[in-house]
Amino acid sequence: MACAQAMALRSPTLHFSCLAPRITSAILHSSRFSQTPPCQPKLVFSPGRVRGNSISSRVFSVRAQGDEEAAAKVAAANVDTGAPTIFDKIVSREIPATVVYETEKVLAFRDINPQAPVHVVLIPKKRDGLTQLSKASEGNKDVLGELLFAAKVVAEQEGLEKGFRVVINDGPDGCQSVYHLHLHLMGGRQLKWPPG
């Protein structure tokens, strides 16, 4: 019903979070996870502003609490399979992405479910076992430095001179849903503290 309300208000964007409860439920009901009952996400309506065609209209953005937590738990169960992640497929161009920065070691692209006006994901092009920050070793110092420097460059490119935030989710309690180390660069609005 929340998505229908957003569509009725002719919102220029329909957030992925409207679909996330259905997707998460489908994942949890797959044969491998059938023993785990799906969580019942709580829908939260928060008033927001969307600008389109220079007209500002009042809309409601919908966020399903519990979706990211459920997705993180499912992802954690599959972390050691060695299968290519969605990020590996973006690097190999099997899955399209809006790339904003690229070097020999780092790829940066726009998040498909942005949490701020600027929300860019930065990843090492080669996972090489670096699934999460807590798994980093001495040999990963170079790529970790490259990722942070790339975040600074992208922030400059995106005009975030007033400030930005870099986030690394680690493990299920950190709400990591893709086990390929990645940084979230967010800005373009006043960010709140504490996060999460």
Side-chain angles (χ1 to χ4, degrees):
M1 184 152 119
C3 293
Q5 288 172 341
M7 286 186 281
L9 291 170
R10 296 181 186 210
S11 170
T13 58
L14 187 58
H15 293 283
F16 174 77
S17 60
C18 293
L19 299 174
R22 291 180 187 95
I23 293 168
T24 303
S25 180
I27 290 169
L28 289 172
H29 278 111
S30 73
S31 60
R32 183 165 179 192
F33 300 102
S34 60
Q35 301 84 4
T36 307
C39 68
Q40 296 300 318
K42 176 182 173 186
L43 293 179
V44 178
F45 293 88
S46 56
R49 292 256 184 223
V50 174
R51 289 182 175 83
N53 301 330
S54 71
I55 298 172
S56 183
S57 59
R58 188 155 175 88
V59 298
F60 288 90
S61 68
V62 178
R63 190 178 85 218
Q65 292 179 337
D67 295 341
E68 283 111 37
E69 292 89 348
K73 285 179 179 34
V74 170
N78 293 315
V79 70
D80 293 324
T81 65
T85 68
I86 189 170
F87 295 159
D88 291 316
K89 292 177 181 182
I90 288 172
V91 169
S92 68
R93 304 305 201 253
E94 292 174 55
I95 295 176
T98 305
V99 175
V100 297
Y101 179 81
E102 184 170 14
T103 67
E104 184 181 319
K105 294 182 181 181
V106 175
L107 184 68
F109 51 91
R110 300 213 183 276
D111 195 293
I112 62 166
N113 185 24
Q115 302 300 305
V118 174
H119 188 165
V120 174
V121 176
L122 298 101
I123 61 172
K125 285 184 165 180
K126 293 183 180 174
R127 190 170 24 147
D128 288 334
L130 190 55
T131 56
Q132 56 196 107
L133 186 59
S134 62
K135 304 285 185 193
S137 67
E138 188 84 16
N140 299 123
K141 289 195 304 188
D142 184 44
V143 74
L144 293 172
E146 294 258 356
L147 284 166
L148 282 176
F149 184 75
K152 178 250 187 211
V153 172
V154 172
E156 287 175 349
Q157 279 179 198
E158 296 291 325
L160 300 177
E161 60 278 337
K162 288 186 173 183
F164 56 90
R165 180 172 292 160
V166 176
V167 176
I168 300 175
N169 299 326
D170 191 281
D173 283 357
C175 231
Q176 184 176 3
S177 58
V178 179
Y179 280 82
H180 182 141
L181 179 73
H182 58 285
L183 284 65
H184 295 268
L185 170 68
M186 293 178 281
R189 66 171 168 82
Q190 177 62 60
L191 299 172
K192 306 294 182 194
W193 194 260

